[in-house]
Amino acid sequence: MGEGKQGALAVVELPNSSGQNPIAQLQNKFKELEAGFKLWLSKQSLPVEAAVVTATSGLQGAAIGGFMGTLTQDVSSSMPTPPAGANLNPQAMASFQQAQALAGGPLVQARNFAVMTGVNAGISCVLKRIRGKEDVQSSMAAAFGSGALFSLVSGMGGPNPVPNALTSGIFFALVQGGLFELGRKFSQPPAEDTHYVRTRSLLSSLGLQNYEKNFKKGLLTDTTLPLLTDRQDIDVRIPPGPRLLILDRIQRDPELRKR
């Protein structure tokens, strides 16, 4: 009887035996699908890859634009509409069209964002396949194309669509180029200081890597390790316990003793 109850409890607890979060399972499944999709896409021809990337990015942009349009819908509905027979000067009409383009409803914003994201991703895809790399030049070229086409589609160009499209493209290219360089600068790992390679290894082996900054403050480089005494450790504010461990390791290191 007791064994039957234990077996039933084991069966009941079996579904939770893995203990994995359902959200984590969905995230892992999504990552697998994304990796498979990218692998399939990399094997396609350039026109197919560019078309798929442009379409998927455009759909994502349209979703974002539609959501943004719901937030700006009240602004666009409150904007005054010029009378049908009103004779507005070209400058005023251009300003009104630009305001409409920036504060349009969900459909307008979905179209604008779809153009920006789709064209940008499509041009980036083509340039990456042709040039074999993704750099600031490709990023700026894609931004120029998306900015210019956005100006033409949204109607922000006013009475002079072509010059304004070029201006918008240049503006988009400069902004994206600056963001690309900024992101690359902050994403690069800091260069390793070659003057403290041996010091860093010694401290890490002792579990005292937190005191590397003390060595750097005192300019105690790798070349000074054989000359290190208790006095220098005190000067750079290393506590007595770590000082003894460091000096003992230096004295027992045959290479440092020889030097």
Side-chain angles (χ1 to χ4, degrees), residues 60-85:
Q60 293 176 1
I64 297 173
F67 175 74
M68 295 294 294
T70 58
L71 302 179
T72 60
Q73 191 170 12
D74 294 336
V75 178
S76 61
S77 60
S78 62
M79 292 178 58
T81 303

mmCIF file of all heavy atoms in Angstrom, residues 60-85:
data_model
loop_
_atom_site.group_PDB
_atom_site.id
_atom_site.type_symbol
_atom_site.label_atom_id
_atom_site.label_comp_id
_atom_site.label_asym_id
_atom_site.label_seq_id
_atom_site.Cartn_x
_atom_site.Cartn_y
_atom_site.Cartn_z
ATOM 1 N N GLN A 60 8.081 44.487 -39.238
ATOM 2 C CA GLN A 60 8.405 44.895 -37.871
ATOM 3 C C GLN A 60 8.267 46.411 -37.716
ATOM 4 O O GLN A 60 7.727 46.908 -36.719
ATOM 5 C CB GLN A 60 9.825 44.456 -37.523
ATOM 6 C CG GLN A 60 10.005 42.947 -37.440
ATOM 7 C CD GLN A 60 11.447 42.547 -37.199
ATOM 8 O OE1 GLN A 60 12.329 43.396 -37.073
ATOM 9 N NE2 GLN A 60 11.696 41.248 -37.153
ATOM 10 N N GLY A 61 8.771 47.150 -38.709
ATOM 11 C CA GLY A 61 8.637 48.597 -38.649
ATOM 12 C C GLY A 61 7.198 49.051 -38.710
ATOM 13 O O GLY A 61 6.807 50.016 -38.037
ATOM 14 N N ALA A 62 6.390 48.363 -39.499
ATOM 15 C CA ALA A 62 4.973 48.714 -39.584
ATOM 16 C C ALA A 62 4.272 48.493 -38.255
ATOM 17 O O ALA A 62 3.425 49.300 -37.842
ATOM 18 C CB ALA A 62 4.298 47.891 -40.683
ATOM 19 N N ALA A 63 4.627 47.425 -37.567
ATOM 20 C CA ALA A 63 4.019 47.170 -36.250
ATOM 21 C C ALA A 63 4.404 48.260 -35.259
ATOM 22 O O ALA A 63 3.558 48.774 -34.506
ATOM 23 C CB ALA A 63 4.462 45.800 -35.738
ATOM 24 N N ILE A 64 5.668 48.640 -35.273
ATOM 25 C CA ILE A 64 6.116 49.712 -34.370
ATOM 26 C C ILE A 64 5.453 51.032 -34.743
ATOM 27 O O ILE A 64 4.990 51.790 -33.879
ATOM 28 C CB ILE A 64 7.645 49.837 -34.418
ATOM 29 C CG1 ILE A 64 8.296 48.560 -33.907
ATOM 30 C CG2 ILE A 64 8.117 51.035 -33.592
ATOM 31 C CD1 ILE A 64 9.796 48.526 -34.065
ATOM 32 N N GLY A 65 5.404 51.316 -36.043
ATOM 33 C CA GLY A 65 4.782 52.560 -36.486
ATOM 34 C C GLY A 65 3.297 52.613 -36.162
ATOM 35 O O GLY A 65 2.774 53.674 -35.803
ATOM 36 N N GLY A 66 2.599 51.481 -36.329
ATOM 37 C CA GLY A 66 1.179 51.463 -35.980
ATOM 38 C C GLY A 66 0.948 51.748 -34.506
ATOM 39 O O GLY A 66 0.016 52.473 -34.142
ATOM 40 N N PHE A 67 1.819 51.178 -33.669
ATOM 41 C CA PHE A 67 1.684 51.453 -32.237
ATOM 42 C C PHE A 67 1.979 52.919 -31.934
ATOM 43 O O PHE A 67 1.267 53.557 -31.147
ATOM 44 C CB PHE A 67 2.632 50.551 -31.453
ATOM 45 C CG PHE A 67 2.664 50.840 -29.983
ATOM 46 C CD1 PHE A 67 1.612 50.479 -29.159
ATOM 47 C CD2 PHE A 67 3.756 51.490 -29.419
ATOM 48 C CE1 PHE A 67 1.644 50.755 -27.801
ATOM 49 C CE2 PHE A 67 3.791 51.769 -28.064
ATOM 50 C CZ PHE A 67 2.739 51.405 -27.256
ATOM 51 N N MET A 68 3.024 53.457 -32.559
ATOM 52 C CA MET A 68 3.338 54.875 -32.347
ATOM 53 C C MET A 68 2.225 55.769 -32.872
ATOM 54 O O MET A 68 1.931 56.825 -32.307
ATOM 55 C CB MET A 68 4.655 55.213 -33.036
ATOM 56 C CG MET A 68 5.865 54.501 -32.462
ATOM 57 S SD MET A 68 6.244 55.005 -30.779
ATOM 58 C CE MET A 68 6.711 56.703 -31.052
ATOM 59 N N GLY A 69 1.569 55.337 -33.954
ATOM 60 C CA GLY A 69 0.481 56.133 -34.511
ATOM 61 C C GLY A 69 -0.714 56.226 -33.593
ATOM 62 O O GLY A 69 -1.426 57.235 -33.574
ATOM 63 N N THR A 70 -0.956 55.171 -32.820
ATOM 64 C CA THR A 70 -2.052 55.242 -31.855
ATOM 65 C C THR A 70 -1.777 56.258 -30.764
ATOM 66 O O THR A 70 -2.708 56.848 -30.201
ATOM 67 C CB THR A 70 -2.277 53.863 -31.214
ATOM 68 O OG1 THR A 70 -1.064 53.433 -30.579
ATOM 69 C CG2 THR A 70 -2.679 52.839 -32.260
ATOM 70 N N LEU A 71 -0.490 56.476 -30.465
ATOM 71 C CA LEU A 71 -0.141 57.463 -29.440
ATOM 72 C C LEU A 71 -0.233 58.886 -29.962
ATOM 73 O O LEU A 71 -0.520 59.814 -29.203
ATOM 74 C CB LEU A 71 1.287 57.196 -28.920
ATOM 75 C CG LEU A 71 1.543 55.804 -28.318
ATOM 76 C CD1 LEU A 71 2.988 55.682 -27.883
ATOM 77 C CD2 LEU A 71 0.609 55.553 -27.141
ATOM 78 N N THR A 72 0.002 59.070 -31.269
ATOM 79 C CA THR A 72 -0.025 60.419 -31.852
ATOM 80 C C THR A 72 -1.328 60.713 -32.583
ATOM 81 O O THR A 72 -1.447 61.745 -33.225
ATOM 82 C CB THR A 72 1.142 60.588 -32.841
ATOM 83 O OG1 THR A 72 1.020 59.618 -33.890
ATOM 84 C CG2 THR A 72 2.478 60.401 -32.137
ATOM 85 N N GLN A 73 -2.286 59.801 -32.489
ATOM 86 C CA GLN A 73 -3.537 59.995 -33.223
ATOM 87 C C GLN A 73 -4.297 61.214 -32.715
ATOM 88 O O GLN A 73 -4.885 61.952 -33.489
ATOM 89 C CB GLN A 73 -4.406 58.745 -33.111
ATOM 90 C CG GLN A 73 -5.610 58.762 -34.054
ATOM 91 C CD GLN A 73 -6.308 57.412 -34.080
ATOM 92 O OE1 GLN A 73 -6.034 56.565 -33.238
ATOM 93 N NE2 GLN A 73 -7.184 57.207 -35.041
ATOM 94 N N ASP A 74 -4.276 61.414 -31.399
ATOM 95 C CA ASP A 74 -4.973 62.580 -30.852
ATOM 96 C C ASP A 74 -4.347 63.876 -31.336
ATOM 97 O O ASP A 74 -5.041 64.867 -31.579
ATOM 98 C CB ASP A 74 -4.940 62.529 -29.320
ATOM 99 C CG ASP A 74 -5.732 61.349 -28.775
ATOM 100 O OD1 ASP A 74 -6.635 60.877 -29.488
ATOM 101 O OD2 ASP A 74 -5.434 60.902 -27.648
ATOM 102 N N VAL A 75 -3.026 63.872 -31.506
ATOM 103 C CA VAL A 75 -2.344 65.080 -31.988
ATOM 104 C C VAL A 75 -2.735 65.372 -33.425
ATOM 105 O O VAL A 75 -3.004 66.520 -33.800
ATOM 106 C CB VAL A 75 -0.819 64.921 -31.853
ATOM 107 C CG1 VAL A 75 -0.093 66.148 -32.392
ATOM 108 C CG2 VAL A 75 -0.436 64.678 -30.399
ATOM 109 N N SER A 76 -2.756 64.328 -34.259
ATOM 110 C CA SER A 76 -3.092 64.540 -35.667
ATOM 111 C C SER A 76 -4.550 64.955 -35.846
ATOM 112 O O SER A 76 -4.880 65.744 -36.728
ATOM 113 C CB SER A 76 -2.812 63.254 -36.459
ATOM 114 O OG SER A 76 -3.608 62.190 -35.973
ATOM 115 N N SER A 77 -5.451 64.412 -35.005
ATOM 116 C CA SER A 77 -6.861 64.776 -35.143
ATOM 117 C C SER A 77 -7.129 66.208 -34.702
ATOM 118 O O SER A 77 -8.096 66.834 -35.152
ATOM 119 C CB SER A 77 -7.720 63.810 -34.325
ATOM 120 O OG SER A 77 -7.372 63.871 -32.944
ATOM 121 N N SER A 78 -6.290 66.733 -33.818
ATOM 122 C CA SER A 78 -6.477 68.111 -33.352
ATOM 123 C C SER A 78 -5.817 69.141 -34.246
ATOM 124 O O SER A 78 -5.970 70.342 -34.011
ATOM 125 C CB SER A 78 -5.920 68.243 -31.923
ATOM 126 O OG SER A 78 -4.530 67.981 -31.911
ATOM 127 N N MET A 79 -5.076 68.691 -35.264
ATOM 128 C CA MET A 79 -4.417 69.647 -36.158
ATOM 129 C C MET A 79 -5.450 70.282 -37.076
ATOM 130 O O MET A 79 -6.312 69.602 -37.652
ATOM 131 C CB MET A 79 -3.339 68.940 -37.000
ATOM 132 C CG MET A 79 -2.149 68.453 -36.196
ATOM 133 S SD MET A 79 -0.958 67.601 -37.251
ATOM 134 C CE MET A 79 -0.587 68.897 -38.430
ATOM 135 N N PRO A 80 -5.392 71.593 -37.285
ATOM 136 C CA PRO A 80 -6.353 72.247 -38.177
ATOM 137 C C PRO A 80 -6.101 71.872 -39.629
ATOM 138 O O PRO A 80 -4.963 71.714 -40.063
ATOM 139 C CB PRO A 80 -6.083 73.734 -37.926
ATOM 140 C CG PRO A 80 -4.663 73.795 -37.475
ATOM 141 C CD PRO A 80 -4.438 72.542 -36.688
ATOM 142 N N THR A 81 -7.187 71.713 -40.364
ATOM 143 C CA THR A 81 -7.093 71.402 -41.788
ATOM 144 C C THR A 81 -7.350 72.672 -42.589
ATOM 145 O O THR A 81 -8.368 73.344 -42.368
ATOM 146 C CB THR A 81 -8.130 70.328 -42.180
ATOM 147 O OG1 THR A 81 -7.913 69.173 -41.372
ATOM 148 C CG2 THR A 81 -8.013 69.959 -43.647
ATOM 149 N N PRO A 82 -6.459 73.024 -43.497
ATOM 150 C CA PRO A 82 -6.676 74.253 -44.262
ATOM 151 C C PRO A 82 -7.898 74.132 -45.157
ATOM 152 O O PRO A 82 -8.204 73.051 -45.679
ATOM 153 C CB PRO A 82 -5.386 74.380 -45.080
ATOM 154 C CG PRO A 82 -4.829 73.004 -45.151
ATOM 155 C CD PRO A 82 -5.221 72.336 -43.867
ATOM 156 N N PRO A 83 -8.641 75.204 -45.338
ATOM 157 C CA PRO A 83 -9.813 75.175 -46.223
ATOM 158 C C PRO A 83 -9.434 74.774 -47.643
ATOM 159 O O PRO A 83 -8.297 74.952 -48.089
ATOM 160 C CB PRO A 83 -10.344 76.605 -46.158
ATOM 161 C CG PRO A 83 -9.763 77.183 -44.909
ATOM 162 C CD PRO A 83 -8.453 76.516 -44.706
ATOM 163 N N ALA A 84 -10.435 74.242 -48.357
ATOM 164 C CA ALA A 84 -10.172 73.763 -49.719
ATOM 165 C C ALA A 84 -9.731 74.883 -50.647
ATOM 166 O O ALA A 84 -8.892 74.688 -51.514
ATOM 167 C CB ALA A 84 -11.415 73.081 -50.274
ATOM 168 N N GLY A 85 -10.307 76.069 -50.500
ATOM 169 C CA GLY A 85 -9.958 77.164 -51.402
ATOM 170 C C GLY A 85 -8.885 78.072 -50.870
ATOM 171 O O GLY A 85 -8.667 79.165 -51.438
#
